[in-house]
Amino acid sequence: MGRRSFLAGVGGLAAVAALGGCASASSEDTVIVGSKGFAESWIMGELYAQALRATGRTVDLRTNVGSSEIIDKAMMSGQIDVFPEYTGVIVSSLAGYPEILPTAQETFDYAKNWEEERGVTVGTMTPFENKNAIAVTEQYAAQYNLTTIEDLRNVGEFVYSTYPDNVEGGSGYEAIVANYNLPNMQLKTLSIGLNYQALEAGEIQAADVFTTDPQLLRSNLVVLTDTLNMFGFQNVVPLVAPGAMDRLGDDGLDLLNTINDLLTLEAIQTLNAAVAVNRLDPAQVATQFLDVNDLL
């Protein structure tokens, strides 16, 4: 599905009620879908819940459940049946594996094996992944012939921005300087989202971004290749709680996998733009996407 056709479809929708968690009791045959507290997770939760409802299932969607650790505990205690999770988060934050695996497939395989040992069913991973990256303007990339992060060694002193919590750590400023040998990279900390304004204003030359940010749909930004894979891999998979396959069924999991297969990088950036930039309601945006793809 093209970005223009989708945005044309959602452009007339009005933003409505704010999202909130659903605390109502559910019957034994209800499928409980959970999501975290940010736009991309709201969208994924709505896609799963609405598509399952369209098959005649009773679905209880619970938004803003909490962090990965909290929603994982909710799943393992039977409070959540299905939720979308990032493969790299499963590997590092939940399973506690200390290293970044070499490929997206190996990250998925490790996550799947670890989850299945706990009785969790894992669906297919999305084509898109949401991870840290470094972006520069197209003009700056052309001026210095930049395509990879290590190319930044050749530009002289420059300013890079990230959010305050990402200075240290495995994907933070200090690690980038050390791993890519970039002593010429100076630091400016900014709140998430302000880095794009700073790039356009020329206040910084490189910015820490997330790969599914809707701002990256602009043609004047270039994401530099992370040749060392230090940012890891973060594709999304549907997780199904132990025992919940009885309610979801194989056909229900197949449906979630079909949704995931449709979520290319451009598709999720477009969905994120509709919610985070155009302020449309995630439920209506999800409905439009599912309708266009004949899943309602």
Side-chain angles (χ1 to χ4, degrees), residues 129-133 209-213 216 223 265 268-269:
E129 54 179 330
N130 184 356
K131 63 181 182 180
N132 292 86
V209 300
F210 294 103
T211 50
T212 62
D213 284 348
L216 294 176
V223 174
L265 180 59
I268 196 65
Q269 286 174 333

Side-chain angles (χ1 to χ4, degrees), residues 132 160-175 187-195 207-210:
N132 292 86
Y160 162 85
S161 76
T162 189
Y163 47 98
D165 291 341
N166 196 43
V167 175
E168 301 176 349
S171 62
Y173 165 76
E174 294 177 355
L187 174 65
K188 181 174 184 176
T189 57
L190 293 169
S191 298
I192 292 177
L194 295 181
N195 48 359
D208 174 33
V209 300
F210 294 103

Side-chain angles (χ1 to χ4, degrees), residues 29-285:
D29 62 348
T30 297
V31 177
I32 306 172
V33 177
S35 64
K36 303 178 192 177
F38 56 96
E40 188 166 288
S41 189
W42 296 334
I43 293 165
M44 294 289 297
E46 287 286 354
L47 290 171
Y48 288 0
Q50 291 186 35
L52 290 171
R53 284 195 193 107
T55 67
R57 291 173 172 83
T58 301
V59 178
D60 179 0
L61 175 60
R62 300 184 179 181
T63 61
N64 302 319
V65 174
S67 66
S68 292
E69 291 79 8
I70 290 172
I71 199 169
D72 180 71
K73 289 178 181 178
M75 177 183 71
M76 296 305 291
S77 64
Q79 299 176 64
I80 297 291
D81 292 325
V82 177
F83 76 96
E85 186 57 280
Y86 299 89
T87 53
V89 169
I90 296 170
V91 171
S92 61
S93 298
L94 300 181
Y97 188 75
E99 299 177 9
I100 293 174
L101 293 163
T103 66
Q105 186 62 50
E106 288 175 84
T107 304
F108 169 79
D109 291 341
Y110 189 100
K112 186 173 189 292
N113 291 337
W114 184 79
E115 290 287 7
E116 288 180 345
E117 287 178 359
R118 305 194 300 160
V120 176
T121 301
V122 181
T124 59
M125 63 179 176
T126 56
F128 87 82
E129 54 179 330
N130 184 356
K131 63 181 182 180
N132 292 86
I134 295 179
V136 299
T137 64
E138 189 175 52
Q139 179 182 5
Y140 193 71
Q143 180 180 354
Y144 292 102
N145 194 28
L146 304 177
T147 59
T148 67
I149 295 174
E150 61 258 45
D151 290 337
L152 290 167
R153 296 172 190 160
N154 306 318
V155 304
E157 188 171 291
F158 69 99
V159 180
Y160 162 85
S161 76
T162 189
Y163 47 98
D165 291 341
N166 196 43
V167 175
E168 301 176 349
S171 62
Y173 165 76
E174 294 177 355
I176 297 169
V177 169
N179 290 335
Y180 277 104
N181 188 24
L182 293 172
N184 55 325
M185 186 166 83
Q186 306 304 306
L187 174 65
K188 181 174 184 176
T189 57
L190 293 169
S191 298
I192 292 177
L194 295 181
N195 48 359
Y196 289 102
Q197 299 174 28
L199 266 180
E200 293 177 354
E203 298 170 4
I204 60 174
Q205 288 73 52
D208 174 33
V209 300
F210 294 103
T211 50
T212 62
D213 284 348
Q215 293 92 335
L216 294 176
L217 289 168
R218 303 172 189 169
S219 60
N220 66 332
L221 296 175
V222 175
V223 174
L224 302 179
T225 301
D226 172 24
T227 54
L228 299 180
N229 291 328
M230 65 172 292
F231 298 135
F233 303 92
Q234 297 285 1
N235 305 83
V236 176
V237 292
L239 298 182
V240 185
M245 280 299 295
D246 292 340
R247 292 184 292 281
L248 182 66
D250 290 338
D251 59 331
L253 181 60
D254 288 343
L255 178 58
L256 301 184
N257 289 339
T258 296
I259 293 169
N260 270 25
D261 290 343
L262 292 169
L263 291 173
T264 62
L265 180 59
E266 183 183 31
I268 196 65
Q269 286 174 333
T270 302
L271 290 163
N272 285 340
V275 173
V277 177
N278 298 333
R279 303 298 181 187
L280 302 180
D281 177 48
Q284 292 179 291
V285 171

